[in-house]
Amino acid sequence: MILLRALKALADVLVWTLAVIGVLCGALWAAGQAGLVQPLVVVSGSMEPAIMTGDLLLDTPVPVEQVEVGDVVSLPNPATGVLVTHRVVDIAPQDDGTWHVRMQGDANDTEDGGAYVVTDDTVLSPRWRVPGGGDFITRLTRPSTAVPLLVALAALLALSRLPASRSGHDRARARRPSPGSRGGAAAGGLTAGVGVAAAGGAGSVAGRGRGG
C-alpha cells in the first residue's frame, strides 16, 4: 500500500512536469509560427567550441543594418536553402537594396563559398543556446523513443487518477464514533431517565396529597 502511494505521488510529479514541458513546447511552436523565434538543431561542428554539435539554438530576427563583423547569424544556403549558422567576416550593402554577407565557421579554415545575399530587412541570430537540447529533441521524436514514451505517459496518467487509499489507522478512525456523539447520547439518556424519575416522583407525591 505504501509503495502504491509512492508510485502515485511520483506519477503526479511526472505528469505535472510533462504538462509544463508541453506548455513550453506549445509556446515555442506558437512563437515560431509568429516569426518571433526560430529553433535550430546544430548538426555539425563548424562552430565549435562556441556552438557544439547537438546544441539547440533559438534564433530571433535582428535588423540587418545592425549586423557587424564578428556577429553570428543564420542565413539560408543559396544552393540548398538550409540555414547555416556561422560568424560574419564581411557585410556590405548593395545598390539594389540587398546585403552581401560573407561568413565562416569558427572551426573552418576557409570562408563559406560565395556571399549570402540578404533581401529582407532582418536576419536570424542566435539569442539563446541550450547545450544538448538538439540531441534531446532528436531522440525524443524518433519512433523508437516516442511510442514507448507515449505508452509510459498513458500509464502514469492512469496511475495518477487512482484514488488515494487510506491507511488502516485512518480507516479505524473513520469507523470509531466521535467522543462528542457518544457523550451526547449518554447525556441525553441520563437526562431522559432523570426526567422520568422526576415525573414518577411528582405523580406519587400528588397522589398522596389527594388521598390525604
Side-chain angles (χ1 to χ4, degrees):
M1 202 62 73
I2 295 177
L3 178 60
L4 182 60
R5 295 177 67 182
L7 289 176
K8 183 181 181 300
L10 178 61
D12 289 338
V13 172
L14 291 177
V15 167
W16 278 106
T17 301
L18 291 174
V20 171
I21 293 176
V23 170
L24 293 177
C25 291
L28 182 60
W29 177 84
Q33 293 298 310
L36 301 177
V37 66
Q38 175 66 55
L40 298 174
V41 176
V42 181
V43 296
S44 73
S46 60
M47 282 297 292
E48 293 181 358
I51 301 175
M52 304 297 292
T53 303
D55 286 352
L56 174 66
L57 301 180
L58 299 177
D59 285 18
T60 57
V62 297
V64 64
E65 64 267 14
Q66 295 182 7
V67 176
E68 300 177 350
V69 173
D71 292 343
V72 177
V73 297
S74 302
L75 296 174
N77 185 300
T80 63
V82 177
L83 287 173
V84 177
T85 302
H86 280 170
R87 197 173 301 277
V88 176
V89 296
D90 183 69
I91 181 170
Q94 305 299 305
D95 295 336
D96 59 359
T98 63
W99 294 74
H100 285 190
V101 182
R102 293 187 176 274
M103 301 194 300
Q104 179 178 341
D106 290 354
N108 294 345
D109 296 329
T110 59
E111 295 181 9
D112 300 351
Y116 295 83
V117 179
V118 178
T119 59
D120 296 331
D121 295 332
T122 60
V123 295
L124 292 173
S125 179
R127 176 66 62 89
W128 299 284
R129 180 176 70 93
V130 182
D135 279 342
F136 175 77
I137 293 177
T138 301
R139 292 193 181 98
L140 195 64
T141 54
R142 290 174 182 169
S144 58
T145 303
V147 174
L149 183 62
L150 289 175
V151 173
L153 179 59
L156 287 175
L157 185 60
L159 185 59
S160 66
R161 300 290 293 178
L162 290 177
S165 59
R166 295 182 300 177
S167 65
H169 178 68
D170 293 337
R171 289 194 297 269
R173 290 185 59 187
R175 288 195 301 265
R176 187 183 305 132
S178 62
S181 61
R182 294 180 61 188
L190 179 60
T191 303
V194 171
V196 171
S204 59
V205 172
R208 286 199 300 269
R210 285 195 297 269

